[in-house]
């Protein structure tokens, strides 16, 4: 009889990984002392933290949807594993608000810029009634998991995935990679402050750049068929809107992340304010709306006044609407 030998993965012998194991142990201890609902979430986070030592990917089945997740990702994947699709409740509230303003996603196309792992695209089609989705994601690992998640949920005939970044110029750009947050990869253009010295020491890869109007036309998607454009690209939102005059001239609503810190780093905070003020009539703070806060709506021309409400690295999502009818 030969005694079994337990092999300790090499990853567990490094200081960085031991710190993560210890962090998971503290999370586990917290979970064991919590109430039942909290304990479930905390224990799932601890499991996810430990899983990184053994596998690059885990799968979760939650509320009828399946996601393959990156165990190196401490934000989007971890939260999705613990509680379900990342910030789906905020998305549901924003789409319900759009319904109240006469903009239904049902039977229409969902355009997702910065699609990440698909945690907005997949619910849009599987849960919120979109007939089709265009999901655009530039980072290679995110893109591969996005494709896996489309297949895992049987949506390959309803979702078009494109590996690219969206900007106001076409060609080749650069993407600064985050090692721990799959939602914090950042598109950089010449002249961006972040590119000028790369103070965070990010790895940089080249990515294809498309103007949104050009990409939509290339894929034969008519703006008249689009229910909403969902934009979350870490401080590049001004450039995205600047490259989409046909979108901003149309009645199609936009839900865009508003992160003043990131927009300043990407040298397009004023550009974002200018386009929103000129092209839209009203902005609604989707996160404040979700939280039940007051003063969620204001004239689009006053959008710059929101900057003071989101200091440091805080952020929200803004619903951009037109009150006036627009001819097709």
């Amino acid at each position: 009889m030969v005694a079994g030998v337990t092999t300790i993965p090499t990853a567990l012998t490094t200081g960085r990984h031991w710190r993560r194991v210890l962090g998971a142990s503290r999370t586990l201890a917290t979970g064991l002392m919590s109430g039942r609902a909290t304990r479930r979430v905390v224990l799932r986070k601890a499991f996810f933290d430990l899983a990184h030592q053994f596998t690059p990917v885990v799968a979760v089945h939650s509320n009828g949807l399946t996601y393959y997740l990156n165990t190196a990702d401490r934000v989007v994947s971890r939260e999705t594993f613990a509680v379900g699709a990342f910030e789906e409740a905020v998305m549901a509230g924003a789409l319900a608000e759009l319904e109240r303003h006469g903009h239904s996603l049902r039977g229409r196309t969902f355009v997702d810029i910065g699609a990440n792992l698909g945690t907005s695209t997949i619910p849009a089609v599987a849960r919120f009634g979109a007939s089709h989705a265009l999901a655009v994601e530039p980072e290679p690992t995110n893109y591969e998991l996005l494709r896996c998640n489309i297949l895992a949920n049987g949506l390959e005939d309803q979702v078009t995935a494109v590996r690219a970044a969206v900007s106001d110029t076409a060609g080749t750009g650069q993407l600064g990679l985050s090692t721990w947050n799959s939602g914090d990869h950042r598109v950089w253009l010449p002249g961006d402050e972040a590119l000028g010295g790369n103070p965070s020491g990010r790895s940089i890869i080249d990515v294809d750049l498309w103007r949104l109007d050009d990409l939509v036309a290339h894929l034969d998607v008519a703006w008249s068929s689009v229910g909403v454009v969902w934009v979350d690209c870490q401080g590049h939102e001004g450039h995205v809107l600047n490259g989409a005059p046909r979108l901003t001239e149309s009645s199609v609503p936009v839900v865009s992340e508003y992160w003043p810190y990131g927009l300043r780093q990407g040298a397009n905070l004023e550009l974002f304010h200018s386009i929103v003020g000129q092209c839209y009539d009203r902005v609604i703070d989707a996160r404040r709306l979700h939280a039940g806060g007051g003063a969620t709506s204001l004239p689009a021309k006053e959008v710059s006044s929101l900057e003071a409400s989101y200091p440091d690295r805080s952020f929200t999502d803004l619903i951009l609407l037109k009150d006036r009818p627009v001819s097709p």
Side-chain angles (χ1 to χ4, degrees):
M1 180 177 178
V2 179
V5 177
T6 300
T7 303
I8 300 176
T10 303
L12 292 180
T13 66
T14 66
R16 178 168 59 88
H17 290 283
W18 270 119
R19 286 194 296 273
R20 188 159 180 176
V21 170
L22 291 173
S25 299
R26 287 192 291 269
T27 301
L28 181 62
T30 300
L32 292 173
M33 294 184 291
S34 304
R36 182 175 179 180
T38 301
R39 181 165 61 244
R40 181 180 183 276
V41 171
V42 172
L43 294 181
R44 291 181 72 88
K45 287 182 177 180
F47 176 91
F48 186 88
D49 293 344
L50 290 171
H52 178 55
Q53 317 307 321
F54 303 98
T55 176
V57 176
V58 296
V60 65
H61 188 70
S62 176
N63 297 323
L65 298 178
T66 298
Y67 293 98
Y68 287 88
L69 305 170
N70 177 1
T71 58
D73 172 21
R74 302 285 293 161
V75 181
V76 177
S77 292
R78 187 175 189 251
E79 189 72 11
T80 298
F81 187 84
V83 299
F86 187 68
E87 298 188 337
E88 188 177 312
V90 175
M91 181 181 188
L95 294 177
E97 183 68 12
L98 287 173
E99 288 260 13
R100 285 191 284 273
H101 286 268
H103 296 282
S104 176
L105 181 58
R106 297 188 178 280
R108 302 176 69 78
T109 297
F110 180 79
V111 177
D112 193 359
I113 307 304
N116 204 295
L117 312 173
T119 54
S120 296
T121 285
I122 289 167
V125 178
R127 224 188 284 293
F128 298 120
S131 59
H132 183 260
L134 168 59
V136 187
E137 170 57 44
E139 198 277 326
T141 299
N142 282 355
Y143 179 72
E144 289 303 317
L145 289 172
L146 169 65
R147 292 176 63 209
C148 288
N149 292 332
I150 292 167
L151 290 168
N153 290 282
L155 301 177
E156 58 269 33
D157 293 333
Q158 292 176 268
V159 179
T160 301
V162 177
R163 183 184 161 192
V166 175
S167 189
D168 50 7
T169 186
T172 302
Q174 292 185 313
L175 192 70
L177 304 180
S178 170
T179 59
W180 62 277
N181 181 356
S182 72
D184 193 32
H185 308 307
R186 303 183 194 177
V187 179
W188 289 340
L189 300 175
D192 286 356
E193 179 183 345
L195 184 60
N198 190 16
S200 60
R202 291 171 177 245
S203 297
I204 299 173
I205 61 172
D206 290 338
V207 292
D208 291 337
L209 291 179
W210 283 82
R211 295 172 71 253
L212 182 55
D213 279 349
D214 296 341
L215 180 59
V216 166
H218 176 73
L219 296 172
D220 293 323
V221 176
W223 281 121
S224 59
S225 72
V226 175
V228 64
V229 175
W230 200 268
V231 187
D232 184 350
C233 47
Q234 295 304 98
H236 204 68
E237 289 79 8
H239 292 298
V240 171
L241 295 177
N242 197 43
R246 291 184 181 176
L247 166 63
T248 57
E249 290 166 4
S250 75
S251 297
V252 177
V254 174
V255 178
S256 172
E257 183 178 65
Y258 180 68
W259 183 32
Y261 172 86
L263 287 162
R264 281 193 297 271
Q265 288 286 301
N268 66 138
L269 178 60
E270 280 79 27
L271 177 63
F272 181 87
H273 288 160
S274 175
I275 293 173
V276 171
Q278 291 175 19
C279 298
Y280 295 92
D281 296 316
R282 185 154 301 279
V283 298
I284 299 171
D285 190 323
R287 288 178 183 272
R288 189 171 293 175
L289 180 71
H290 172 67
T296 62
S297 176
L298 76 161
K301 293 185 183 301
E302 298 175 16
V303 65
S304 62
S305 67
L306 289 173
E307 182 181 355
S309 300
Y310 294 98
D312 302 320
R313 301 198 180 201
S314 59
F315 65 94
T316 189
D317 296 296
L318 300 180
I319 302 171
L320 312 181
L321 287 170
K322 293 186 178 181
D323 297 332
R324 59 189 185 277
V326 177
S327 299

